[in-house]
Amino acid sequence: VILVTGGTGSFGRRFIETVLSRSAPRKMIVYSRDELKQSEMQLDLAERFGPEKMNAMRFFLGDVRDRERLSLAFRGVDIVIHA
């Protein structure tokens, strides 16, 4: 399970696209504070990677400065990428 903070930014987005194209993670969580960017990213990834890979995707709204929300997002996560 991979959590990418700042997942809708340029590095996070590229990292997620690379992982999805090269492997099949059990779960990948995109953590960011921009709901619009998350929505746009979700649509774009769904077109490019299809339902099988999208079943592993989770989009989580939050800010890294919100300790409680971040702790919730960290549950069950094996790897954290801060993008």
Side-chain angles (χ1 to χ4, degrees):
V1 177
I2 304 168
L3 171 75
V4 183
T5 65
T8 58
S10 58
F11 177 81
R13 191 174 172 98
R14 183 69 174 151
F15 175 81
I16 290 164
E17 291 169 354
T18 300
V19 170
L20 290 177
S21 66
R22 294 182 183 180
S23 65
R26 186 166 43 97
K27 185 191 296 185
M28 180 168 294
I29 304 165
V30 179
Y31 186 89
S32 74
R33 60 184 179 184
D34 192 323
E35 187 173 5
L36 177 60
K37 283 185 181 179
Q38 280 193 13
S39 177
E40 291 170 344
M41 183 177 183
Q42 193 169 6
L43 292 171
D44 180 52
L45 292 176
E47 281 183 24
R48 294 176 61 202
F49 294 103
E52 184 177 311
K53 298 252 180 161
M54 289 308 292
N55 286 337
M57 297 297 300
R58 300 294 180 271
F59 291 82
F60 204 109
L61 284 174
D63 191 304
V64 294
R65 296 171 290 186
D66 183 342
R67 175 180 246 166
E68 189 175 312
R69 186 85 172 144
L70 195 56
S71 293
L72 183 62
F74 275 25
R75 289 185 184 164
V77 170
D78 300 307
I79 300 169
V80 176
I81 304 296
H82 181 64

